[in-house]
Amino acid sequence: MGKISVFESVSLDGVMQGLGRPDEDTRGGFRHGGWGEGYGDHVIGQFAGAGMANTTAMLFGRRSYEDLLAHWTSVTEPNPFTDTLVNQRKYVVSRDRRTRLCYPNSTLLAGEAAETVTRLKRELDGVITVIGSGELVRSLHAAGLVDEYVLLIHPIVLGSGTRLFGDGDRSDLKLEESVTSTTGVVIARYQV
């Protein structure tokens, strides 16, 4: 049986929207895009690399899949993300059965996330890592399908934006590991 691991960067106030670029996600008038710039370091890189080495497959919502792959496949300078994103087995959740997946090693999970991901967890062994995909994460969280959260908690308060967790029931998590980057990002691995 597969294990769902959510790997997510959040601000101190829980915002996960628009981490990478000013124009990444401006929904709702979000004006803090690119807020994660300047926080990356070797500690985060090593932690992320080790996690990706243990990943069996990646799981995305349609919007994050399209945005992340379009961005990282257009970057010309060498980086550790492009090859991993292109070569890793990817599953994309979409309610629209007509969704076209334009990148290699991609499989569409058409329908409701709780149903399609439940089947995926039964079919795959190993770690299935979710990156970004806030709406998908909230849906999986509500359905009790997330096994682990790896949160990169940045020392910044944005005050607005889409938060990783919306309203819902209480969830108790157990801290399994924590590491602090040289830039003050706390990387915390929680078991659900």
Side-chain angles (χ1 to χ4, degrees):
M1 177 168 248
K3 170 184 171 180
I4 301 291
S5 176
V6 172
F7 188 91
E8 200 75 58
S9 289
V10 296
S11 65
L12 199 56
D13 55 341
V15 174
M16 49 83 57
Q17 183 177 1
L19 167 80
R21 303 179 314 279
D23 63 345
E24 181 178 343
D25 184 355
T26 59
R27 289 179 290 175
F30 186 66
R31 63 187 190 282
H32 305 297
W35 58 267
E37 189 173 328
Y39 287 105
D41 73 350
H42 69 281
V43 175
I44 294 172
Q46 289 172 346
F47 194 95
M52 291 312 297
N54 293 321
T55 294
T56 300
M58 298 178 81
L59 179 63
F60 294 99
R62 180 202 49 82
R63 188 176 190 290
S64 289
Y65 167 82
E66 291 172 353
D67 181 70
L68 280 171
L69 272 291
H71 174 74
W72 286 108
T73 57
S74 68
V75 171
T76 56
E77 61 268 4
N79 67 81
F81 305 111
T82 301
D83 287 344
T84 299
L85 285 170
V86 170
N87 296 322
Q88 183 65 260
R89 186 168 26 163
K90 295 171 284 299
Y91 293 89
V92 181
V93 177
S94 176
R95 290 184 188 98
D96 185 351
R97 295 185 185 289
R98 299 168 295 166
T99 298
R100 280 191 52 228
L101 304 179
C102 301
Y103 301 98
N105 306 313
S106 300
T107 302
L108 179 64
L109 301 178
E112 292 301 318
E115 296 168 17
T116 60
V117 174
T118 295
R119 281 194 301 273
L120 180 66
K121 279 184 75 165
R122 280 194 298 252
E123 294 169 5
L124 281 183
D125 286 325
V127 178
I128 305 163
T129 300
V130 183
I131 297 176
S133 308
E135 185 178 335
L136 173 61
V137 170
R138 286 184 289 281
S139 177
L140 298 178
H141 177 80
L145 293 173
V146 176
D147 299 293
E148 165 184 272
Y149 289 96
V150 178
L151 301 180
L152 284 70
I153 306 163
H154 291 63
I156 184 173
V157 175
L158 296 173
S160 66
T162 302
R163 287 170 171 67
L164 179 58
F165 299 104
D167 292 339
D169 295 333
R170 174 182 164 158
S171 296
D172 293 322
L173 307 176
K174 180 182 177 195
L175 180 65
E176 294 288 329
E177 176 182 13
S178 66
V179 176
T180 303
S181 78
T182 62
T183 59
V185 175
V186 175
I187 306 167
R189 179 185 311 276
Y190 294 99
Q191 296 299 316
V192 177

